[in-house]
Structures are given as C-alpha cells and as structure tokens.
Amino acid sequence: MTKILVTGGNGQLGNSINSIKDKFSNLEITFTDIDSLDICNIDDVEKFVQQNKFQYIVNCAAYTAVDKAESEENLATKINASAVENLAIVAKNNNCKLINVSTDYVFDGNAHKPYIEDDNTEPTSVYGKTKLKGEQLAFASKAECINIRTSWLYSEFGNNFVKTMIKLGTERDQLGIVWDQIGTPTYAVDLAKAILDIIESTSSGEKEFQSGIYHYSNEGVASWYDFTINIHQIYGINCDVSPIETKEYPTPAPRPCYSVLNKAKIKNVYSITIPHWRNSLERCIESIKAEQ
C-alpha cells in the first residue's frame, strides 16, 4: 500500500482526489487542511510525515484569490512559496516524493502558441509570482518533485467559474464576459486522476518518477466567453451573453491574455490520456445537477 499525504484537502483539487480515491485501491490517502496540519510550520509537517511514513506528498494547498493577492502579498507568499519549500524540505528529509500544483499565471500571456515547460516565465501578478517562487524553492531543495502547472480549474466542489456562471445565468437576463483572454478550462477531477495515475504507475515501478515541470489542462482552447456559452448550453440556461474586452472589465491583478499549455511532455512521460474540455464540462455539470 502506497501512503500519500494530500494537503489542501478541502479545496477543489483535494475534494476531487477524494471523490475518485476508491478507484485506486492500492493507494492509502490522508487528507489534511489548515485545521489539521499547518504546512507553514515546518516542524509540524516534519513530525506528521515522520509519524505516518508517507511516500508521496501532493500539495493542493494554495492562496488562489488572484485579485486579493495584490494587497496580501505576504500571505500569498507564505502559502504559495514558503509552505511549498517546507513540504519539499520535509519530502527530501524523509525520502518522500512531492507533487506540487502550480499555474499558467507564471507566464505573461504574450505568446501565440501553447507554452511548453521550458518557456520563459514572466508572471505579471502577485499570485503568479508567488506560485513561481514556490516552484523554484521546491526544486532548490533537491527533493524529488513533479511540478504540474494547470489552468482555469473548476469542479463541482467549492466556488469556481462554472458555478458562478450557472448562478449568474439563472439570476440575470444579460451577461458580459471577456472574449480576449484565451486558455483551456481544466476539470479538477481529470487533473486528480492524472496525479493518482502518476503515483500509481511510479510507486509500482511501471514508470520512473521523473522530477521536473509538467503542464496539464484539458485539451482544446477557449475564451471565457466561449466557456460561458458552453456552460449555459449544457446546463440549459437561457441568458443573453455578450463578448466584452478585458479593458471593459478591469481587475486589480492582470490576467494572461493567452495561456494555453502544451501537454505533450506529461502525455509522453506518463502515458496520460487527456479529455477535451467540452466533454469534461458535460461530466461536471451532470454531477452538479445530480447534487441539486
């Protein structure tokens, strides 16, 4: 049995891992969140990992309030960078493998083709800068670490864009949604499966755990406007959605205008199959409706 610690267990990705864990009978997963383990306290982390003899740590904890981070840089840095370093150091000390989840916001969004893992990082927001710092500190620790950058994460759990658009679409007759930011929606359950597939294949010896940066999002591309249109179509919402430009919807933190990720590396190294975002969106909305 492979023992795994998942931090940020109450978040979207943590809940998504929990929702599919029973399909991985050879993995024993312990979920923690701030109430049960403070990952900003390295002594607490060291003690917890030693006691439980984990072989893998999956870090799903993050400060994700992108706009709020502009005025709470210290807190964002503590959670997105310092805590990641703590996990990496403890992983190194205990012969444990770390999988850390990062973001497309490490890029400036000025590219015109999907970003590969080696492309220059130029984050333009505090959130992006703190997530990049976490990546760098994890690798500087010399721990065995897979860093997975993802984008536009949503699920049936917690608060996210899909749930917001369903709520607003049922409450309002008209919406204006940004059309000039291009990326790829990612269903958190798909990312959760990819992470557990990697752990299962590397813990069994079928695959080698290859430290480094990897990209994972669903296949295909969309604007936020396209994404919203599809959310409403699938859910059955009749709302007049109009495309607007980014400049018409100013936010404290700048967003990358193009952040499509190239997934060839994770597909080739770990034989990961990635669904198209529209198909995954249908599955998610089906789950949301089932819970209502």
Side-chain angles (χ1 to χ4, degrees):
M1 189 70 75
T2 302
K3 299 189 71 175
I4 303 157
L5 166 62
V6 172
T7 63
N10 293 339
Q12 279 199 89
L13 187 55
N15 271 303
S16 295
I17 292 174
N18 200 9
S19 74
I20 63 169
K21 70 179 189 299
D22 292 345
K23 298 175 183 176
F24 295 81
S25 56
N26 57 334
L27 305 182
E28 181 184 321
I29 307 177
T30 300
F31 295 87
T32 64
D33 213 284
I34 183 62
D35 56 345
S36 51
L37 178 64
D38 181 5
I39 60 174
C40 294
N41 185 321
I42 192 168
D43 293 334
D44 287 357
V45 178
E46 181 76 52
K47 183 179 178 183
F48 194 75
V49 170
Q50 280 186 359
Q51 284 177 340
N52 291 280
K53 295 180 169 56
F54 295 113
Q55 292 144 284
Y56 290 79
I57 299 172
V58 180
N59 182 34
C60 302
Y63 181 107
T64 57
V66 175
D67 289 324
K68 210 172 173 185
E70 296 294 312
S71 58
E72 293 188 349
E73 185 168 359
N74 288 343
L75 181 58
T77 301
K78 185 179 178 184
I79 298 169
N80 291 343
S82 303
V84 177
E85 182 179 32
N86 290 345
L87 293 171
I89 290 169
V90 171
K92 170 77 171 167
N93 291 347
N94 291 274
N95 195 28
C96 195
K97 296 174 173 64
L98 173 65
I99 297 179
N100 181 56
V101 180
S102 189
T103 175
D104 57 329
Y105 278 62
V106 300
F107 298 113
D108 62 13
N110 293 330
H112 300 286
K113 63 183 180 63
Y115 283 101
I116 62 170
E117 289 79 359
D118 295 335
D119 280 335
N120 286 336
T121 49
E122 289 286 344
T124 58
S125 64
V126 167
Y127 169 69
K129 288 171 184 173
T130 60
K131 292 294 286 185
L132 178 61
K133 186 67 175 174
E135 293 184 12
Q136 293 167 339
L137 290 170
F139 290 121
S141 74
K142 305 299 182 186
E144 288 190 84
C145 175
I146 287 174
N147 185 88
I148 301 177
R149 294 174 183 150
T150 191
S151 65
W152 298 23
L153 205 65
Y154 70 90
S155 68
E156 52 268 54
F157 308 105
N159 298 314
N160 55 70
F161 187 81
V162 170
K163 285 185 160 185
T164 299
M165 289 305 105
I166 290 171
K167 182 175 184 291
L168 293 179
T170 53
E171 292 175 350
R172 302 181 188 178
D173 296 327
Q174 293 181 317
L175 286 174
I177 305 295
V178 171
W179 70 269
D180 57 352
Q181 293 173 22
I182 308 298
T184 306
T186 305
Y187 185 26
V189 173
D190 290 340
L191 175 56
K193 183 179 184 301
I195 289 169
L196 295 187
D197 281 341
I198 289 171
I199 293 175
E200 187 174 60
S201 65
T202 56
S203 62
S204 68
E206 178 193 342
K207 299 278 186 184
E208 178 189 351
F209 188 96
Q210 297 186 36
S211 292
I213 297 169
Y214 296 84
H215 289 169
Y216 184 98
S217 64
N218 281 121
E219 297 286 18
V221 299
S223 68
W224 292 109
Y225 169 75
D226 298 325
F227 192 21
T228 303
I229 292 290
N230 279 268
I231 293 166
H232 287 181
Q233 283 178 349
I234 295 166
Y235 194 90
I237 292 170
N238 186 17
C239 178
D240 182 13
V241 181
S242 302
I244 63 172
E245 294 184 47
T246 297
K247 64 185 180 184
E248 297 176 70
Y249 187 73
T251 55
R255 266 63 171 173
C257 64
Y258 181 92
S259 63
V260 180
L261 302 174
N262 183 312
K263 281 84 65 174
K265 183 179 177 183
I266 199 167
K267 289 191 283 189
N268 292 337
V269 174
Y270 294 109
S271 304
I272 300 292
T273 301
I274 304 178
H276 188 273
W277 68 263
R278 165 84 192 202
N279 296 335
S280 294
L281 178 61
E282 289 174 351
R283 286 164 41 225
C284 179
I285 289 178
E286 194 177 309
S287 294
I288 290 172
K289 282 188 164 184
E291 292 171 7
Q292 289 175 338

